[in-house]
Amino acid sequence: MNPSSISPNAPAIAADAAFMDRALQLAARGIAQASPNPLVGAILVRDGRVISEGFHTYEGLRHAEIIALEAAGESARGATLYINLEPCCHTGRTGPCTQALIAAGVARVVAAMADLNPAVAGRGFHQLRAAGIEVSSGLREAEARRLNESFARWIVSRKPLVTLKSALTLDGQLILPRPKEAARKGAPAAQNGRWISSPESRAEVQRMRHASDALLTGIGTVLADDPLLTDRTGMPRRRKLLRVVLDSRLRLPLRSKLARSADGDLLVFTRAKENSPKARALRRAGVEVACLAGRGPHPDLRAVIAELGRREILSVLLEAGAILNSAALEAGIVDKIRVFLAPKLAGFAGSGPGAASPAARLPAAQDLQSVTIEPFGPDFAIEGYLRDVYRTR
């Protein structure tokens, strides 16, 4: 490269990018702790040196920039704030962060993206500029948008971001055949060493659960596998992962692992009568039973997602079989798909409830957007979007 073609501002741009990367890292520390608020990280820099930093958690109340300002004290005067989301300019549970930044004498604000919250939506930047603070935005915007895609989906639609997760063999099967002795015992395939995906992929699924507010499955999966469906990462979270089961006829066994572990974190949507003996028994066991209208015998999936959004659930991980996956796609509730493809062959064209079938595919051909492929051990995770979650209302 010709040295004369290098911008004299290149070192400053590189420094800005490095500081924004740190703000994004801090924001990510709020995963599972900030919902229903966005993930926000902030650092204050003066003379090229970080003087303070902070990230937001819902229970901690204070916003990231306020934490950084309090830690900096008088050193904040003349400093630059790096933050992944536009500072708020309204009074909610806390006062406006823009006023605190102005009062502290911050000279410059570098933000990755504007806040889609209608109460902010560019007005925070306007207030800062009106006070004489230099403001720039757009640095690392793609990374910032991905980090807060669940909040964006919810704030513009009041519905959670729904991610369909599945694992498939190379020949398109959702399950592996079990050894004859295991099949005779009736044990779930996953308990007999017949996992489709690798340990690395399963660890990633646990991280996906940790980053989600709720996990959604169908009664077929529960009856077949008797799963717990918990977040087993051991990482901190503000509220328990809400386990949601679609169970039209209330077939959930009282002795299932789900029912026996219910502690305010198990919600069953059904078409059965609200005061049926089974519904009363489940409630006594600590299970919340919600009756929803629907088409035919099944709960309306759109109504399910709307109700979860009303409960301030920002993100839902769909872990189910072919039938529910197909219904979810057909209902248009899925925003994002992540499929773990394992280098295995099931060796059969199954027709059971877990087998791949036309029901496991999109009801109509749709192109995924922003497709990425990532390795996890011997597996590959293919991810893509069915819609722009920042524009869907």
Side-chain angles (χ1 to χ4, degrees):
M1 178 182 292
N2 187 341
S4 63
S5 67
I6 300 176
S7 169
N9 295 324
I13 293 173
D16 281 351
F19 290 134
M20 184 61 73
D21 287 341
R22 176 57 182 165
L24 286 163
Q25 290 172 2
L26 287 167
R29 290 173 62 179
I31 288 175
Q33 299 184 78
S35 179
N37 286 355
L39 299 168
V40 184
I43 63 173
L44 281 167
V45 175
R46 188 171 183 177
D47 299 326
R49 181 177 62 87
V50 176
I51 56 176
S52 64
E53 57 186 31
F55 67 95
H56 175 65
T57 60
Y58 189 86
E59 300 297 354
L61 194 64
R62 294 174 301 165
H63 290 185
E65 51 269 58
I66 300 301
I67 295 172
L69 286 173
E70 290 178 354
E74 285 300 315
S75 297
R77 190 163 300 279
T80 296
L81 172 75
Y82 294 87
I83 188 167
N84 62 295
L85 190 69
E86 176 185 6
C88 71
C89 56
H90 65 291
T91 299
R93 296 196 307 152
T94 64
C97 292
T98 50
Q99 295 303 315
L101 292 167
I102 293 168
V106 170
R108 180 177 177 234
V109 171
V110 180
M113 61 176 286
D115 191 343
L116 289 184
N117 187 339
V120 186
R123 284 187 282 274
F125 290 153
H126 177 75
Q127 285 188 9
L128 295 172
R129 290 188 178 106
I133 296 176
E134 179 187 346
V135 176
S136 63
S137 65
L139 179 64
R140 296 289 194 259
E141 183 173 6
E143 293 85 349
R145 287 167 67 90
R146 180 177 174 85
L147 184 66
N148 271 312
E149 62 187 12
S150 297
F151 173 77
R153 171 66 172 150
W154 183 80
I155 204 68
V156 301
S157 69
R158 283 301 189 264
K159 296 175 184 176
L161 179 87
V162 178
T163 301
L164 188 159
K165 186 279 299 180
S166 188
L168 295 174
T169 62
L170 289 179
D171 49 350
Q173 300 297 326
L174 289 168
I175 61 173
L176 291 174
R178 288 175 286 175
K180 291 181 179 179
E181 61 274 15
R184 283 197 299 268
K185 294 177 182 178
Q191 295 178 9
N192 287 278
R194 303 299 295 167
W195 290 102
I196 284 179
S197 53
S198 66
E200 292 88 347
S201 291
R202 298 199 296 276
E204 176 63 14
V205 170
Q206 286 299 318
R207 286 190 287 270
M208 292 174 70
R209 288 185 182 182
H210 178 70
S212 301
D213 289 340
L215 188 153
L216 175 64
T217 196
I219 187 61
T221 296
V222 175
L223 294 177
D225 293 339
D226 192 22
L228 266 175
L229 302 177
T230 52
D231 170 7
R232 296 191 288 275
T233 62
M235 295 187 287
R237 55 185 309 135
R238 184 178 79 85
R239 50 186 178 179
K240 292 181 180 180
L241 176 68
L242 180 65
R243 299 171 293 172
V244 184
V245 180
L246 301 184
D247 185 6
S248 298
R249 292 179 286 158
L250 278 189
R251 292 185 290 158
L252 178 67
L254 289 167
R255 296 302 301 167
S256 65
K257 291 177 182 177
L258 280 174
R260 285 187 288 128
S261 63
D263 185 21
D265 60 348
L266 180 58
L267 171 61
V268 175
F269 286 105
T270 186
R271 294 295 313 280
K273 293 181 179 179
E274 187 172 358
N275 292 317
S276 67
K278 183 62 176 291
R280 292 198 299 269
L282 286 170
R283 290 190 181 104
R284 286 195 297 271
V287 179
E288 182 180 358
V289 179
C291 299
L292 280 182
R295 296 179 180 178
H298 305 296
D300 185 334
L301 286 172
R302 293 188 183 93
V304 167
I305 295 304
E307 173 60 20
L308 293 177
R310 188 189 67 78
R311 295 173 182 234
E312 295 189 332
I313 297 296
L314 271 58
S315 52
V316 174
L317 183 61
L318 175 59
E319 292 193 39
I323 294 174
L324 180 53
N325 285 350
S326 178
L329 291 164
E330 187 173 2
I333 66 167
V334 178
D335 302 294
K336 180 178 176 180
I337 293 177
R338 198 173 196 199
V339 175
F340 291 85
L341 191 61
K344 299 177 181 178
L345 297 175
F348 77 118
S351 58
S357 68
R361 299 189 290 269
L362 292 174
Q366 300 180 48
D367 290 332
L368 292 179
Q369 306 166 20
S370 304
V371 175
T372 59
I373 301 176
E374 186 176 2
F376 289 96
D379 306 337
F380 287 91
I382 303 172
E383 180 180 280
Y385 294 79
L386 290 172
R387 58 169 62 92
D388 183 347
V389 299
Y390 276 80
R391 294 185 179 180
T392 301
R393 293 187 180 274

